């Protein structure tokens, strides 16, 4: 058990009392005794003897602090939508070019009536990985479909999609 005196907590406190001189109430202040605080860092739960020893030394228990590791499943907020990233100014979202390419490749395969397995293979062949640095699977692409539906209108009007569509229908 480590014991560190907390130097920032030595304070002189004042208390007020009133005296009356010739019918006039006068406020006076006197310094209160300084307080000393110590924070003990423990690696095991303290025993009853520990508390008895502290009480015998004149210490008074004033706080108990608890700590635990955060559970890995708890996220501080929601995920950034696929296809976007935090801008360099940290105040807005901007397009993530690599993720937009994945969405465009998926859209391209679906427009040609391809399967999610075909889309996963084509995306992996181009070297794109998921946000977890894993190869794309049909299941991962299935969970991406709601996002594709959400951004589809914007993707379908982009200049890049217009160019791709020309090549798609010329090949088919």
């Amino acid at each position: 058990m480590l014991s560190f005196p907390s130097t920032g907590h030595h304070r002189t406190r004042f208390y007020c009392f009133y005296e009356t001189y010739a019918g006039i109430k006068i406020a006076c202040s006197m310094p209160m005794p300084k307080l000393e605080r110590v924070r003990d860092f423990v690696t095991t739960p303290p025993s009853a003897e520990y508390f008895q020893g502290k009480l015998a030394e004149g210490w008074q228990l004033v706080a108990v602090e608890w700590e635990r590791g955060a559970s890995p499943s708890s996220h501080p907020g929601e995920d950034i939508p696929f296809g976007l990233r935090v801008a360099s100014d940290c105040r807005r979202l901007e397009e993530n070019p690599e993720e937009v390419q994945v969405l465009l490749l998926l859209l391209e395969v679906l427009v040609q009536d391809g399967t999610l397995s075909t889309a996963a293979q084509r995306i992996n062949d181009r070297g794109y990985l998921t946000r977890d640095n894993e190869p794309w699977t049909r299941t991962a692409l299935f969970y991406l479909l709601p996002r594709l539906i959400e951004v589809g209108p914007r993707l379908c009007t982009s200049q890049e999609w217009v160019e791709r569509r020309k090549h798609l229908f010329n090949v088919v």
Side-chain angles (χ1 to χ4, degrees):
M1 188 171 318
L2 301 171
S3 181
F4 296 98
S6 183
T7 57
H9 293 308
H10 292 283
R11 298 182 188 138
T12 302
R13 295 186 181 184
F14 293 89
Y15 63 92
C16 290
F17 64 95
Y18 297 97
E19 291 187 13
T20 305
Y21 292 104
I24 300 173
K25 202 175 198 181
I26 300 173
C28 300
S29 61
M30 297 199 54
M32 291 179 69
K34 290 184 178 185
L35 294 178
E36 183 179 5
R37 292 185 185 240
V38 174
R39 179 179 287 182
D40 291 339
F41 293 92
V42 297
T43 55
T44 59
S47 64
E49 293 81 26
Y50 165 79
F51 288 108
Q52 290 171 350
K54 286 292 187 184
L55 290 171
E57 292 172 6
W59 291 100
Q60 181 181 10
L61 183 63
V62 293
V64 175
E65 185 174 326
W66 296 93
E67 178 180 86
R68 70 176 177 185
S71 64
S73 64
S74 66
H75 294 290
E78 63 183 72
D79 290 336
I80 296 171
F82 193 83
L84 298 175
R85 65 181 176 195
V86 177
S88 59
D89 63 3
C90 297
R91 298 180 64 186
R92 58 189 172 78
L93 298 175
E94 65 184 13
E95 280 191 356
N96 182 334
E98 283 190 13
E99 292 181 355
V100 169
Q101 288 302 314
V102 170
L103 289 168
L104 286 170
L105 284 167
L106 175 58
L107 184 59
E108 190 175 294
V109 171
L110 294 177
V111 164
Q112 294 175 332
D113 288 329
T115 64
L116 291 177
S117 296
T118 304
Q121 183 178 354
R122 192 172 294 173
I123 291 168
N124 289 329
D125 289 346
R126 301 263 177 107
Y128 294 109
L129 298 173
T130 66
R131 285 185 172 176
D132 296 328
N133 287 325
E134 299 288 330
W136 285 94
T137 63
R138 64 182 185 207
T139 306
L141 290 175
F142 177 79
Y143 288 117
L144 192 58
L145 287 175
R147 179 67 180 151
L148 182 63
I149 292 167
E150 185 179 354
V151 297
R154 192 174 66 228
L155 287 176
C156 290
T157 58
S158 70
Q159 186 61 36
E160 185 170 356
W161 177 252
V162 171
E163 294 299 320
R164 282 184 183 214
R165 190 176 62 192
K166 286 179 189 175
H167 295 293
L168 283 175
F169 293 120
N170 286 338
V171 172
V172 174

